[in-house]
Amino acid sequence: MRLEPTHEYFMKLALEQAEKAENIGEVPVGAVFVDNHKVLAASGNQPIGFNDPTAHAEILAIRQAAEIKGNYRIGGSLYVTLEPCIMCMGALIQARIEYLIFGAYDHRAGAAGTVYDFSNSSHQNHAFEVVGGILEKKCQSLIKGFFQARR
C-alpha cells in the first residue's frame, strides 16, 4: 500500500523554499505547487532580487506551474507558508487553483479568510478550498524571527 504525502510533508517543502528566500535577504515566504500528489513548481519570495513587487512566492510558483502545464488555468494545490495577500489571491483565482493550504495566518493583510476572504466570494468567478494553520508555529516562527532580526 502506497501512502500519499500529507499536508505537513508539502508544507515542509514550502518551508525549505522560505528558508532559501531568507538566506538571500528576502522575506521568508515559500510556496509549492502540487498536482496529483507531485510537486510541479516551488519558489520563495524574490521581489527584492528581481526588482519586481509581484515576485511573491505564490506568483512565482504559479508562473512555473503554468509554464510546465502549458496552460494558465492550472488547478491543483498551492502550499504557502504565509496566508496570501490580496494580489496573490487574485492570481490563485485566475489560475483556478483548487486548494490553498497555508501555514501562518496573516492578521494584517491575509486575504484567505483572516482579514479578507477572496477564496469563496460570490463576487468572484472561481472559489476554492482553504486549509490554514498547517505547521503554523514553524511558519510563524520563521517570519517573526526574520522581522525581529531586522529591528
Side-chain angles (χ1 to χ4, degrees):
M1 177 177 159
R2 190 179 131 205
L3 295 176
E4 298 298 339
T6 64
H7 286 326
E8 289 80 9
Y9 171 81
F10 291 119
M11 190 60 69
K12 285 178 184 176
L13 297 179
L15 277 162
E16 289 175 10
Q17 294 299 313
E19 290 166 354
K20 287 179 184 178
E22 182 177 35
N23 289 339
I24 59 172
E26 301 279 0
V27 175
V29 177
V32 174
F33 176 79
V34 176
D35 197 25
N36 293 318
H37 305 288
K38 293 179 185 167
V39 174
L40 289 190
S43 186
N45 265 0
Q46 295 188 57
I48 297 167
F50 287 174
N51 293 313
D52 179 356
T54 69
H56 289 194
E58 300 94 311
I59 302 289
L60 297 174
I62 288 169
R63 287 177 183 165
Q64 290 173 21
E67 182 73 24
I68 290 165
K69 292 188 89 171
N71 194 331
Y72 71 100
R73 292 185 173 170
I74 60 175
S77 301
L78 189 69
Y79 289 79
V80 188
T81 58
L82 180 66
E83 181 180 2
C85 68
I86 293 169
M87 174 186 69
C88 291
M89 288 299 287
L92 271 68
I93 291 165
Q94 295 303 315
R96 303 301 194 267
I97 293 291
E98 295 167 356
Y99 301 95
L100 166 65
I101 302 92
F102 68 87
Y105 291 85
D106 185 344
H107 296 284
R108 299 184 83 199
T114 300
V115 178
Y116 309 100
D117 189 0
F118 288 96
S119 64
N120 195 19
S121 170
S122 62
H123 301 288
Q124 302 298 327
N125 61 353
H126 178 69
F128 49 91
E129 289 189 44
V130 176
V131 176
I134 303 299
L135 300 181
E136 179 180 8
K137 287 183 177 153
K138 176 84 171 130
C139 293
Q140 199 172 49
S141 174
L142 184 63
I143 199 140
K144 278 187 177 182
F146 174 82
F147 285 113
Q148 286 175 346
R150 297 244 184 277
R151 292 184 187 133

